Amino acid sequence: MTVNSNRAFGGRFALSIRAKLAIVALVLLVIPWVGYNYVKTIERLLRDNQVQAVVANARAVATALQDRPRLIELRASEAATSSEDPPRAASDEIKFLVTGLARAGSRIWIVDRRLQLVATAGNLDQPAAVLNEDLAFGPLEHAVRAVLRTVFERVQRPSTAVTEEIIPNDVVFGGREIERALDGTASWRWRAAPDGRAAILTALNPVWVGDRVAGVVVVEETTQPVVSLSNRALEQLVAVTLIAFLVGALTLFWFASSLSSRLRNLRDEAENAIDSQGRVRGLVAGEHARDEIGDLSRGFSTVLERLAQYNAYLETLAGRLTHELRTPIAVVRSSLDNIKLQEAAPGSDVYLGRAEEGLNRLETILTRMSEATRLEQTVRTGERETFDAKTVLAGCIAGYSAAYPQRRFALTMTDEPTLLSGAPDLFAQMLDKLAANAVDFASGDDPISVALYRRENTVVLRISNTGPLLPAEMKGRLFESMVSVRKESAQHEPHLGLGLYIVRQIAEFHGGSATATNRADGKGVEFELWFPVAA
Amino acid sequence: MRRRIAIVEDDAVIRANYADVLTKHGYEVSAYGARAPALAAMRSRLPDLVLLDIGLGDDVDGGFKLCQDLRALSATLPVVFLTARDGDFDLVSGLRMGADDYVTKNMSLPHLLARVSALFRRAELLREPAQTDSIIERGPLTLDLNRFAITWRGVPVDLTLTEFWLVHALAKFPGHVKNRDQLMSEAHIVVDDSTITSHIKRIRRKFSANDVKFDCVDTVYGLGYRWKAVD
């Protein structure tokens, strides 16, 4: 498989489809960035709004006080004479006025020219309604929020942090803004809230009494609502993005996986479409798919079908050739016979003999070819009987000792029953081919070892000889029609590479299969055939 | 009187060659290249023996049809298929059409002549009483070498010439194993091993048709066949 995958992915920077799609999915990451920017813009907009509102509020309070200069003047003069007992009525009135003008969550101080606090109203605590969580969160977000709560809580501590009770001194005393306000200029500024997260907006507006500034209205609001709103928006954004990303990634992953698994199936099937016996099978993976992979599969199937037809043509080629050659050979044969029956010219015997020899070789070829063709027919219509492989094998090996006196055969057979369903004649014919093959290739003095044994429900026949190894390129092709590894020069008689083809045909007729491998000790070749035991 | 042989063969050269050699051996030969003229000629005058090719030009099974027609004209006329087709199917069909023998074209002319003369002898002697000197008896088996006829337990077994020669080769020396090459040369044929196997199968079947217990033709795996003697 390693070899296969190297080939399939060749090249150093090769990426699988899944990896490529994962990279494409990274583009999705731009969504949270865009979202973040959007939320931040909105937040800025809200703050600007807040600034305007607070400034307007301060101005409104100042205007209200301008209309009632008595309140602030009185308060100031009384404070100058007696700080012990401020008159209740004036104090309550200014408080009432300021409280009426204070917005929720804002704090109003009124300071006179001597920077003494005249009145105060409101505080910076948040109105609760804004934090109603159930309003904005759907169930899905809730789930995500539940999972990510710890993360969120670390990032944005809930703003339960105490807000400052009073306006810090540096705002009022020595603050540049308050001096400018006392000079008659309205202004505003940001400062950090004590919890360090939100900011506090301070707007100052002078209170004119006549043509002089009698005091300053200081209105403060925290940005807490805006911050918390933007935090929640961010939270939602993260949740939605995460969900979308997760769903998108999973979908892409699933899609990529199914795609690559389909392609892998197709590849595996295409690789095994031509089996070790040289037969071609069609593809079934993605056969009915109505996409490009289906097209690929069908296209490949068509190619394979053509290959199968060609193979079938090759296999019947021997048969056709026999038939076609027989007539011209008959012409030559009968002509030669006629010459022989006539009074021959002196010296023509030699040539007649040679012609005869050539003709005999041609006929041997023809006989071999017709043997294979005839076998194909027999196998197709073959009658079956149950026979004992041991009997046939023992008889044949005894025969081979006589037929090949130069070569010894070492036979080992199991005691278990080895009944097969098929034709003993064909089985013997198959043994003939295997023996002839082993004898032709055997070298040295080692006997050809033949073993018959049971392996579970199969009968295994193994024939092994010492001698030259199988060439690597012939692996798996040996049992095809007209394939031979014999060297041209070593041939005494014609070989068409039909012997092992016949072996394969007969093995298959018996429901079995055949393989040829190099021996483990590297000294020779081993043929192994499996047959199912007859029921 | 010279014996008359008809050759029906579409290949002109082979036809001429066969005609030449048969003429040289004293037969009167008439050669035809197609079915219709051959049948017309044989209707007017029946030859003594017919050599038939199966495929006659475009007429793929012309030989088979001609054989049927000839059998309708005469039940005893010896007919030999001489063809390029060597499949079992054609062989069986040919013999079923009533041919006396079926040989492939690569047969040598001497083999063909032997076959022709054997067939003539058989046709001739069938009408005469058997001569005892040419009879071989092997238990229930009787072989008449002159008439190429075989009986098993007194019942004649209808064998082709090739089959007769094969049985003769085996039964001559019961118990001796004959390999396929020996059998081929005794039967004057050159075929592949599996053809011998199917001949043997057919012989067994023909004997078994008369006697289900027949098992005298014994396969010796790896060597060949032998005749198993019975009492």
Side-chain angles (χ1 to χ4, degrees), chain A residues 322-323 326-335 337-338 341-342 363 366-367 370-371 374-375 377-378 383 391-392 395-400 402 424-425 428-429 432, chain B residues 11 13-14 17-18 20-21 24-25 83-89 91 104-110 180 190-195 197-198 201 204-205 219 221-223 225:
Chain A
T322 344
H323 185 80
R326 190 149 274 153
T327 306
I329 284 180
V331 171
V332 178
R333 165 75 63 201
S334 55
S335 305
D337 285 346
N338 264 319
L341 291 170
Q342 282 172 352
E363 272 181 355
L366 216 59
T367 308
S370 75
E371 186 182 9
R374 178 183 280 277
L375 184 80
Q377 291 168 351
T378 314
E383 302 151 23
T391 321
V392 181
C396 285
I397 297 294
Y400 300 149
D425 286 317
Q429 193 182 352
D432 290 350
Chain B
D11 190 292
V13 179
I14 296 179
N17 274 348
Y18 285 167
D20 287 354
V21 80
K24 225 167 279 170
H25 279 78
T83 173
R85 298 196 205 171
D86 68 344
D88 265 345
F89 177 75
L91 200 159
T104 44
K105 266 184 192 170
N106 55 343
M107 153 160 304
S108 73
L109 290 185
R180 292 187 171 88
V190 184
V191 291
D192 58 85
D193 290 359
S194 59
T195 308
T197 310
S198 48
K201 259 191 208 157
R204 281 188 186 135
R205 214 172 290 147
T219 308
Y221 294 113
L223 290 178
Y225 302 91

Coordinates of all heavy atoms in Angstrom, one line a residue, chain A residues 322-323 326-335 337-338 341-342 363 366-367 370-371 374-375 377-378 383 391-392 395-400 402 424-425 428-429 432, chain B residues 11 13-14 17-18 20-21 24-25 83-89 91 104-110 180 190-195 197-198 201 204-205 219 221-223 225:
Chain A
T322 N -5.6 -22.1 -35.1 CA -5.5 -23.5 -35.4 C -6.4 -23.8 -36.6 O -6.0 -24.5 -37.5 CB -6.1 -24.4 -34.2 OG1 -6.2 -23.6 -33.1 CG2 -5.4 -25.6 -34.0
H323 N -7.6 -23.2 -36.5 CA -8.5 -23.5 -37.6 C -8.0 -23.0 -38.9 O -8.1 -23.7 -39.9 CB -9.9 -22.8 -37.2 CG -10.9 -23.2 -38.2 ND1 -11.6 -24.4 -38.1 CD2 -11.4 -22.5 -39.2 CE1 -12.5 -24.4 -39.1 NE2 -12.4 -23.3 -39.8
R326 N -4.9 -24.9 -40.2 CA -5.0 -26.3 -40.6 C -5.1 -26.5 -42.1 O -4.5 -27.4 -42.6 CB -6.2 -26.9 -39.8 CG -6.2 -28.4 -39.9 CD -6.9 -29.0 -38.7 NE -5.9 -29.2 -37.7 CZ -6.2 -29.2 -36.4 NH1 -7.4 -29.0 -36.0 NH2 -5.3 -29.5 -35.5
T327 N -5.8 -25.6 -42.7 CA -6.0 -25.8 -44.2 C -4.7 -25.6 -45.0 O -4.4 -26.5 -45.7 CB -7.1 -24.8 -44.7 OG1 -8.3 -25.0 -43.9 CG2 -7.5 -25.1 -46.1
P328 N -4.0 -24.5 -44.8 CA -2.7 -24.4 -45.5 C -1.8 -25.6 -45.2 O -1.0 -26.0 -46.1 CB -2.1 -23.1 -45.1 CG -3.0 -22.6 -44.0 CD -4.3 -23.3 -44.1
I329 N -1.8 -26.0 -43.9 CA -0.9 -27.1 -43.6 C -1.3 -28.4 -44.3 O -0.5 -29.1 -44.8 CB -0.9 -27.3 -42.0 CG1 -0.1 -26.2 -41.4 CG2 -0.4 -28.7 -41.7 CD1 0.0 -26.3 -39.9
A330 N -2.6 -28.5 -44.4 CA -3.1 -29.7 -45.2 C -2.7 -29.6 -46.6 O -2.3 -30.6 -47.3 CB -4.6 -29.8 -45.1
V331 N -2.6 -28.4 -47.2 CA -2.2 -28.2 -48.5 C -0.7 -28.7 -48.7 O -0.4 -29.5 -49.5 CB -2.3 -26.7 -49.0 CG1 -1.6 -26.5 -50.3 CG2 -3.7 -26.3 -49.0
V332 N 0.1 -28.2 -47.7 CA 1.5 -28.5 -47.8 C 1.7 -30.0 -47.6 O 2.4 -30.7 -48.3 CB 2.3 -27.7 -46.7 CG1 3.8 -28.2 -46.7 CG2 2.2 -26.3 -46.9
R333 N 1.0 -30.5 -46.5 CA 1.1 -31.9 -46.2 C 0.8 -32.8 -47.4 O 1.5 -33.7 -47.8 CB 0.3 -32.2 -45.0 CG -0.1 -33.6 -44.7 CD 1.1 -34.4 -44.0 NE 1.4 -33.9 -42.7 CZ 2.7 -34.1 -42.2 NH1 3.6 -34.8 -42.8 NH2 3.0 -33.6 -41.0
S334 N -0.4 -32.5 -48.0 CA -0.8 -33.4 -49.1 C 0.1 -33.3 -50.3 O 0.3 -34.3 -51.0 CB -2.3 -33.1 -49.4 OG -2.4 -31.7 -49.7
S335 N 0.6 -32.0 -50.5 CA 1.5 -31.9 -51.6 C 2.8 -32.7 -51.4 O 3.3 -33.3 -52.3 CB 1.8 -30.4 -51.8 OG 0.7 -29.7 -52.0
D337 N 3.2 -35.3 -49.5 CA 2.9 -36.7 -49.6 C 2.8 -37.1 -51.1 O 3.2 -38.2 -51.5 CB 1.6 -37.0 -48.9 CG 1.7 -37.0 -47.4 OD1 2.9 -37.1 -47.0 OD2 0.7 -37.0 -46.7
N338 N 2.2 -36.2 -51.9 CA 2.1 -36.5 -53.3 C 3.5 -36.6 -54.0 O 3.8 -37.5 -54.8 CB 1.3 -35.5 -54.0 CG -0.1 -35.9 -54.2 OD1 -0.4 -37.0 -54.5 ND2 -1.0 -35.0 -54.0
L341 N 5.1 -39.8 -53.2 CA 4.6 -41.0 -53.9 C 5.1 -41.1 -55.3 O 5.0 -42.1 -56.0 CB 3.1 -41.0 -53.8 CG 2.5 -41.2 -52.5 CD1 1.0 -40.9 -52.5 CD2 2.7 -42.6 -52.0
Q342 N 5.6 -39.9 -55.8 CA 6.1 -39.9 -57.2 C 7.6 -40.4 -57.1 O 8.2 -40.5 -56.1 CB 6.1 -38.5 -57.7 CG 4.7 -38.1 -58.2 CD 4.6 -36.7 -58.6 OE1 5.6 -35.9 -58.3 NE2 3.5 -36.3 -59.1
E363 N 2.9 -28.6 -36.9 CA 1.8 -29.4 -36.5 C 1.8 -29.5 -34.9 O 0.7 -29.6 -34.3 CB 1.8 -30.8 -37.1 CG 1.0 -30.7 -38.4 CD 0.9 -32.0 -39.1 OE1 1.5 -33.0 -38.7 OE2 0.2 -32.1 -40.1
L366 N 0.3 -26.5 -33.7 CA -1.1 -26.6 -34.0 C -1.8 -27.5 -32.9 O -2.9 -27.1 -32.4 CB -1.3 -27.2 -35.4 CG -2.5 -26.6 -36.2 CD1 -2.4 -25.2 -36.3 CD2 -2.6 -27.3 -37.5
T367 N -1.2 -28.6 -32.6 CA -1.7 -29.5 -31.7 C -1.8 -28.9 -30.3 O -2.8 -29.0 -29.6 CB -0.8 -30.8 -31.6 OG1 -0.6 -31.3 -32.9 CG2 -1.5 -31.8 -30.7
S370 N -4.6 -26.3 -30.3 CA -5.9 -26.9 -30.3 C -6.2 -27.6 -29.0 O -7.3 -27.7 -28.6 CB -6.1 -27.9 -31.5 OG -5.4 -29.1 -31.2
E371 N -5.1 -28.0 -28.3 CA -5.3 -28.6 -27.0 C -6.0 -27.6 -26.1 O -6.9 -27.9 -25.3 CB -4.0 -29.1 -26.4 CG -4.1 -29.8 -25.1 CD -2.8 -30.2 -24.6 OE1 -1.8 -29.8 -25.1 OE2 -2.8 -31.0 -23.6
R374 N -9.6 -26.8 -27.2 CA -10.4 -27.9 -26.9 C -10.7 -28.0 -25.4 O -11.9 -28.2 -25.0 CB -9.7 -29.2 -27.4 CG -10.4 -30.5 -27.1 CD -9.5 -31.6 -27.5 NE -9.6 -31.7 -28.9 CZ -10.5 -32.4 -29.5 NH1 -11.5 -33.0 -28.8 NH2 -10.5 -32.6 -30.8
L375 N -9.7 -27.6 -24.7 CA -9.9 -27.7 -23.2 C -10.9 -26.6 -22.8 O -11.8 -26.9 -21.9 CB -8.6 -27.4 -22.5 CG -8.7 -27.5 -21.0 CD1 -8.6 -28.9 -20.6 CD2 -7.6 -26.7 -20.3
Q377 N -13.4 -25.6 -24.4 CA -14.7 -26.2 -24.7 C -15.1 -27.2 -23.7 O -16.2 -27.2 -23.1 CB -14.8 -26.8 -26.1 CG -14.7 -25.8 -27.2 CD -14.4 -26.4 -28.5 OE1 -14.2 -27.6 -28.6 NE2 -14.5 -25.6 -29.6
T378 N -14.2 -28.1 -23.4 CA -14.5 -29.2 -22.4 C -14.8 -28.6 -21.1 O -15.8 -29.0 -20.4 CB -13.2 -30.0 -22.2 OG1 -12.7 -30.3 -23.5 CG2 -13.6 -31.3 -21.5
E383 N -18.4 -32.4 -17.7 CA -19.2 -33.2 -16.8 C -18.3 -33.4 -15.6 O -17.1 -33.5 -15.7 CB -19.5 -34.6 -17.4 CG -20.3 -34.5 -18.6 CD -20.1 -35.7 -19.6 OE1 -19.7 -36.7 -19.0 OE2 -20.3 -35.5 -20.8
T391 N -5.3 -40.6 -5.7 CA -5.1 -41.7 -6.7 C -4.5 -41.2 -8.0 O -3.6 -41.8 -8.5 CB -6.5 -42.4 -7.0 OG1 -7.2 -42.4 -5.8 CG2 -6.4 -43.7 -7.6
V392 N -5.1 -40.1 -8.5 CA -4.6 -39.6 -9.7 C -3.2 -39.1 -9.6 O -2.3 -39.4 -10.5 CB -5.5 -38.4 -10.2 CG1 -5.1 -37.8 -11.5 CG2 -7.0 -38.8 -10.2
G395 N -0.7 -42.1 -9.4 CA -0.6 -42.7 -10.7 C 0.3 -41.8 -11.6 O 1.2 -42.3 -12.3
C396 N 0.0 -40.6 -11.6 CA 0.8 -39.7 -12.5 C 2.2 -39.6 -12.2 O 3.1 -39.6 -13.1 CB 0.1 -38.3 -12.5 SG -1.4 -38.2 -13.4
I397 N 2.5 -39.5 -10.9 CA 3.9 -39.3 -10.5 C 4.7 -40.6 -10.9 O 5.8 -40.6 -11.3 CB 4.0 -39.1 -9.0 CG1 3.4 -37.7 -8.6 CG2 5.5 -39.1 -8.5 CD1 4.1 -36.5 -9.2
A398 N 4.0 -41.8 -10.7 CA 4.6 -43.0 -11.1 C 4.9 -43.0 -12.6 O 6.0 -43.4 -13.1 CB 3.7 -44.2 -10.8
G399 N 4.0 -42.4 -13.4 CA 4.2 -42.3 -14.8 C 5.3 -41.4 -15.2 O 6.1 -41.7 -16.1
Y400 N 5.4 -40.3 -14.4 CA 6.4 -39.3 -14.8 C 7.8 -39.8 -14.5 O 8.8 -39.5 -15.2 CB 6.3 -38.0 -13.9 CG 4.9 -37.3 -14.1 CD1 4.3 -36.6 -13.1 CD2 4.3 -37.4 -15.4 CE1 3.1 -36.0 -13.3 CE2 3.1 -36.8 -15.6 CZ 2.5 -36.1 -14.6 OH 1.2 -35.6 -14.8
A402 N 8.8 -42.6 -15.2 CA 9.1 -43.3 -16.4 C 9.3 -42.4 -17.6 O 10.2 -42.5 -18.4 CB 8.0 -44.4 -16.8
P424 N -11.2 -36.4 -13.4 CA -9.8 -36.9 -13.2 C -8.9 -36.8 -14.4 O -7.7 -36.6 -14.3 CB -10.0 -38.4 -12.8 CG -11.5 -38.7 -13.1 CD -12.2 -37.4 -13.2
D425 N -9.5 -37.0 -15.6 CA -8.7 -36.9 -16.8 C -8.1 -35.5 -16.9 O -6.9 -35.3 -17.2 CB -9.5 -37.2 -18.0 CG -9.9 -38.6 -18.2 OD1 -8.9 -39.4 -18.0 OD2 -11.0 -38.9 -18.5
A428 N -5.4 -35.0 -14.4 CA -4.1 -35.6 -14.8 C -3.5 -34.7 -15.9 O -2.2 -34.5 -15.9 CB -4.4 -37.0 -15.3
Q429 N -4.3 -34.2 -16.8 CA -3.7 -33.3 -17.8 C -3.0 -32.1 -17.2 O -2.0 -31.7 -17.6 CB -4.9 -32.9 -18.7 CG -4.4 -32.2 -20.0 CD -5.6 -31.8 -20.9 OE1 -6.7 -32.0 -20.6 NE2 -5.2 -31.0 -22.0
D432 N 0.2 -33.2 -15.8 CA 1.1 -33.3 -16.9 C 1.8 -32.0 -17.2 O 3.1 -32.0 -17.3 CB 0.4 -33.8 -18.2 CG 0.0 -35.2 -18.1 OD1 0.3 -35.9 -17.1 OD2 -0.8 -35.7 -18.9
Chain B
D11 N -11.5 -26.2 -50.8 CA -10.2 -25.7 -51.2 C -9.7 -26.5 -52.4 O -9.4 -27.7 -52.3 CB -9.2 -25.9 -50.0 CG -7.9 -25.2 -50.2 OD1 -7.1 -25.6 -51.1 OD2 -7.7 -24.2 -49.5
V13 N -6.8 -26.6 -54.0 CA -5.5 -27.3 -54.0 C -5.6 -28.6 -53.2 O -5.1 -29.6 -53.7 CB -4.5 -26.4 -53.3 CG1 -3.1 -27.1 -53.2 CG2 -4.4 -25.0 -54.1
I14 N -6.2 -28.5 -52.0 CA -6.4 -29.8 -51.2 C -7.2 -30.8 -52.0 O -6.8 -32.0 -52.1 CB -7.0 -29.5 -49.9 CG1 -6.1 -28.6 -49.1 CG2 -7.3 -30.8 -49.1 CD1 -6.7 -28.2 -47.7
N17 N -5.0 -32.3 -54.6 CA -4.0 -33.2 -54.0 C -4.5 -34.5 -53.6 O -4.0 -35.6 -53.9 CB -3.3 -32.5 -52.8 CG -2.2 -31.6 -53.2 OD1 -1.7 -31.6 -54.3 ND2 -1.7 -30.8 -52.3
Y18 N -5.7 -34.5 -52.9 CA -6.3 -35.7 -52.5 C -6.7 -36.5 -53.7 O -6.6 -37.7 -53.8 CB -7.5 -35.4 -51.6 CG -7.2 -35.0 -50.2 CD1 -8.2 -34.4 -49.4 CD2 -5.9 -35.1 -49.7 CE1 -7.9 -34.0 -48.1 CE2 -5.6 -34.7 -48.4 CZ -6.6 -34.1 -47.6 OH -6.2 -33.8 -46.4
D20 N -5.5 -36.5 -56.7 CA -4.3 -37.1 -57.3 C -3.9 -38.3 -56.7 O -3.6 -39.4 -57.3 CB -3.1 -36.0 -57.3 CG -3.4 -34.9 -58.3 OD1 -4.4 -35.0 -59.0 OD2 -2.6 -33.9 -58.2
V21 N -3.7 -38.3 -55.3 CA -3.1 -39.4 -54.6 C -4.1 -40.6 -54.7 O -3.7 -41.7 -54.8 CB -2.7 -39.0 -53.2 CG1 -3.9 -39.0 -52.3 CG2 -1.6 -40.0 -52.7
K24 N -4.0 -42.1 -58.1 CA -2.7 -42.8 -58.2 C -2.8 -44.2 -57.6 O -2.2 -45.2 -58.0 CB -1.6 -42.0 -57.6 CG -0.3 -42.0 -58.4 CD 0.6 -40.9 -57.9 CE 0.2 -39.6 -58.4 NZ 1.0 -38.5 -57.7
H25 N -3.6 -44.3 -56.6 CA -3.8 -45.6 -55.9 C -5.0 -46.4 -56.4 O -5.4 -47.3 -55.8 CB -3.9 -45.4 -54.4 CG -2.6 -45.2 -53.7 ND1 -1.9 -44.0 -53.8 CD2 -1.8 -46.0 -53.0 CE1 -0.8 -44.1 -53.1 NE2 -0.7 -45.3 -52.7
T83 N -11.8 -32.6 -42.1 CA -12.1 -31.2 -41.9 C -11.1 -30.5 -41.1 O -10.2 -31.2 -40.4 CB -13.5 -31.1 -41.2 OG1 -13.7 -29.7 -40.8 CG2 -13.5 -31.9 -39.9
A84 N -11.1 -29.2 -41.1 CA -10.2 -28.4 -40.3 C -10.7 -28.2 -38.9 O -9.9 -27.8 -38.0 CB -9.9 -27.0 -41.0
R85 N -11.9 -28.5 -38.7 CA -12.5 -28.3 -37.4 C -12.2 -29.4 -36.5 O -12.4 -30.6 -36.8 CB -14.0 -28.1 -37.5 CG -14.4 -27.0 -38.4 CD -15.9 -26.7 -38.1 NE -16.5 -26.0 -39.3 CZ -17.8 -25.8 -39.4 NH1 -18.6 -26.2 -38.4 NH2 -18.2 -25.1 -40.4
D86 N -11.7 -29.1 -35.3 CA -11.3 -30.2 -34.4 C -12.0 -30.1 -33.1 O -11.6 -30.8 -32.1 CB -9.8 -30.2 -34.2 CG -9.3 -29.0 -33.4 OD1 -10.1 -28.0 -33.3 OD2 -8.2 -29.0 -32.9
G87 N -13.0 -29.3 -33.0 CA -13.8 -29.2 -31.7 C -14.6 -30.5 -31.5 O -15.0 -31.2 -32.4
D88 N -14.8 -30.8 -30.2 CA -15.6 -31.9 -29.8 C -17.0 -31.8 -30.3 O -17.6 -32.8 -30.7 CB -15.7 -32.0 -28.3 CG -14.6 -33.0 -27.7 OD1 -14.0 -33.7 -28.6 OD2 -14.3 -32.9 -26.5
F89 N -17.5 -30.6 -30.4 CA -18.8 -30.4 -30.8 C -19.0 -30.8 -32.2 O -20.0 -31.6 -32.6 CB -19.2 -28.9 -30.6 CG -20.6 -28.6 -31.1 CD1 -21.7 -28.9 -30.4 CD2 -20.8 -27.9 -32.3 CE1 -23.0 -28.6 -30.8 CE2 -22.1 -27.7 -32.8 CZ -23.2 -28.0 -32.0
L91 N -17.1 -32.8 -33.9 CA -16.9 -34.2 -34.0 C -18.1 -35.0 -33.7 O -18.6 -35.9 -34.4 CB -15.7 -34.6 -33.0 CG -14.9 -35.9 -33.2 CD1 -13.6 -35.8 -32.5 CD2 -15.7 -37.1 -32.8
T104 N -9.2 -35.0 -38.9 CA -8.8 -33.6 -39.2 C -7.9 -33.6 -40.4 O -7.2 -34.6 -40.7 CB -8.1 -33.0 -38.0 OG1 -7.2 -33.9 -37.4 CG2 -9.2 -32.6 -37.0
K105 N -7.8 -32.5 -41.0 CA -7.2 -32.3 -42.3 C -5.6 -32.5 -42.3 O -5.0 -32.7 -43.4 CB -7.5 -31.0 -42.9 CG -8.7 -30.9 -43.8 CD -8.8 -29.5 -44.4 CE -10.1 -29.4 -45.1 NZ -10.3 -28.0 -45.5
N106 N -5.0 -32.3 -41.1 CA -3.6 -32.5 -41.1 C -3.1 -33.9 -41.2 O -1.9 -34.2 -41.1 CB -3.0 -31.7 -39.9 CG -3.6 -32.2 -38.6 OD1 -4.6 -32.9 -38.6 ND2 -2.9 -32.0 -37.5
M107 N -4.1 -34.8 -41.3 CA -3.7 -36.2 -41.5 C -2.9 -36.4 -42.7 O -3.1 -35.8 -43.8 CB -5.0 -37.0 -41.5 CG -4.9 -38.3 -42.3 SD -6.3 -39.3 -41.8 CE -6.1 -39.4 -40.1
S108 N -1.9 -37.3 -42.6 CA -1.0 -37.5 -43.8 C -1.8 -38.4 -44.8 O -2.7 -39.2 -44.4 CB 0.3 -38.2 -43.4 OG 0.1 -39.5 -43.0
L109 N -1.3 -38.3 -46.0 CA -2.1 -39.1 -47.1 C -2.0 -40.6 -46.9 O -3.0 -41.3 -47.1 CB -1.5 -38.7 -48.5 CG -2.0 -37.3 -48.9 CD1 -1.6 -37.0 -50.3 CD2 -3.5 -37.1 -48.7
P110 N -0.8 -41.2 -46.4 CA -0.8 -42.6 -46.2 C -1.8 -43.0 -45.1 O -2.5 -44.0 -45.3 CB 0.7 -42.8 -45.7 CG 1.5 -41.8 -46.3 CD 0.6 -40.6 -46.4
R180 N -0.7 -42.5 -25.1 CA -1.5 -41.8 -26.1 C -0.8 -41.8 -27.4 O -1.5 -42.0 -28.5 CB -1.8 -40.4 -25.6 CG -2.7 -40.3 -24.4 CD -3.2 -38.9 -24.1 NE -4.2 -38.9 -23.2 CZ -4.0 -38.8 -21.8 NH1 -2.8 -38.9 -21.4 NH2 -5.0 -38.8 -21.0
V190 N -3.2 -38.2 -36.0 CA -2.4 -37.3 -35.3 C -3.3 -36.3 -34.6 O -3.8 -35.4 -35.3 CB -1.4 -36.6 -36.2 CG1 -0.4 -35.8 -35.4 CG2 -0.6 -37.7 -37.0
V191 N -3.4 -36.4 -33.3 CA -4.3 -35.5 -32.6 C -3.7 -35.1 -31.3 O -2.6 -35.6 -30.9 CB -5.7 -36.1 -32.3 CG1 -6.5 -36.2 -33.6 CG2 -5.6 -37.4 -31.6
D192 N -4.3 -34.2 -30.5 CA -3.7 -33.9 -29.2 C -4.3 -34.9 -28.2 O -5.2 -35.7 -28.4 CB -4.1 -32.5 -28.9 CG -5.5 -32.2 -28.9 OD1 -6.2 -32.5 -27.8 OD2 -6.1 -31.8 -29.9
D193 N -3.6 -34.9 -27.0 CA -3.9 -35.8 -26.0 C -5.4 -35.8 -25.6 O -6.0 -36.9 -25.4 CB -3.1 -35.5 -24.7 CG -1.6 -35.9 -25.0 OD1 -1.3 -36.3 -26.1 OD2 -0.8 -35.7 -24.1
S194 N -6.0 -34.6 -25.6 CA -7.4 -34.6 -25.0 C -8.3 -35.2 -26.1 O -9.4 -35.6 -25.7 CB -7.7 -33.2 -24.7 OG -7.6 -32.3 -25.8
T195 N -7.9 -35.2 -27.3 CA -8.8 -35.8 -28.3 C -8.9 -37.3 -28.1 O -9.9 -38.0 -28.2 CB -8.3 -35.5 -29.8 OG1 -8.2 -34.2 -29.9 CG2 -9.3 -36.0 -30.8
T197 N -8.5 -38.6 -25.2 CA -9.3 -38.8 -24.0 C -10.8 -38.8 -24.4 O -11.5 -39.6 -23.9 CB -9.0 -37.6 -23.0 OG1 -7.6 -37.5 -22.8 CG2 -9.7 -37.8 -21.7
S198 N -11.2 -37.9 -25.3 CA -12.6 -37.9 -25.6 C -13.0 -39.1 -26.5 O -14.1 -39.6 -26.4 CB -13.0 -36.6 -26.3 OG -12.1 -36.2 -27.3
K201 N -13.5 -41.8 -24.0 CA -14.8 -41.6 -23.3 C -16.0 -42.1 -24.1 O -16.9 -42.7 -23.6 CB -15.0 -40.1 -23.1 CG -14.7 -39.6 -21.7 CD -15.1 -38.2 -21.5 CE -14.3 -37.5 -20.4 NZ -14.3 -36.1 -20.6
R204 N -16.1 -45.9 -24.2 CA -16.7 -46.4 -22.9 C -18.2 -46.3 -23.0 O -19.0 -47.1 -22.5 CB -16.2 -45.6 -21.7 CG -14.8 -46.0 -21.3 CD -14.5 -45.2 -20.0 NE -13.1 -45.5 -19.6 CZ -12.3 -44.5 -19.1 NH1 -12.7 -43.3 -19.1 NH2 -11.1 -44.8 -18.7
R205 N -18.7 -45.1 -23.5 CA -20.1 -44.8 -23.5 C -20.8 -45.8 -24.4 O -21.9 -46.3 -24.1 CB -20.4 -43.4 -23.9 CG -21.6 -42.8 -23.3 CD -21.6 -41.3 -23.6 NE -20.6 -40.5 -23.0 CZ -20.0 -39.4 -23.5 NH1 -20.4 -39.0 -24.7 NH2 -19.1 -38.8 -22.9
T219 N -8.2 -46.2 -17.1 CA -7.3 -45.1 -17.2 C -6.1 -45.3 -16.2 O -6.3 -45.6 -15.1 CB -7.9 -43.8 -16.9 OG1 -9.1 -43.7 -17.6 CG2 -7.0 -42.6 -17.1
Y221 N -3.5 -43.1 -14.8 CA -3.1 -41.7 -14.8 C -1.6 -41.5 -15.0 O -0.8 -42.1 -14.4 CB -3.6 -41.0 -13.5 CG -5.1 -41.0 -13.4 CD1 -5.8 -41.8 -12.5 CD2 -5.9 -40.3 -14.3 CE1 -7.1 -41.8 -12.4 CE2 -7.2 -40.3 -14.3 CZ -7.9 -41.1 -13.3 OH -9.2 -41.1 -13.3
G222 N -1.3 -40.6 -15.9 CA 0.1 -40.3 -16.1 C 0.7 -41.2 -17.2 O 1.8 -40.9 -17.7
L223 N 0.1 -42.3 -17.5 CA 0.6 -43.2 -18.6 C -0.2 -43.3 -19.8 O 0.2 -43.0 -20.9 CB 0.9 -44.5 -17.9 CG 2.0 -44.6 -16.9 CD1 2.1 -46.0 -16.4 CD2 3.3 -44.2 -17.6
Y225 N -3.8 -45.8 -21.2 CA -4.9 -46.7 -20.9 C -4.5 -48.1 -21.1 O -3.6 -48.5 -21.7 CB -6.0 -46.3 -21.9 CG -6.5 -44.9 -21.8 CD1 -5.9 -43.9 -22.6 CD2 -7.4 -44.5 -20.9 CE1 -6.2 -42.6 -22.5 CE2 -7.8 -43.2 -20.8 CZ -7.2 -42.2 -21.6 OH -7.6 -40.9 -21.5

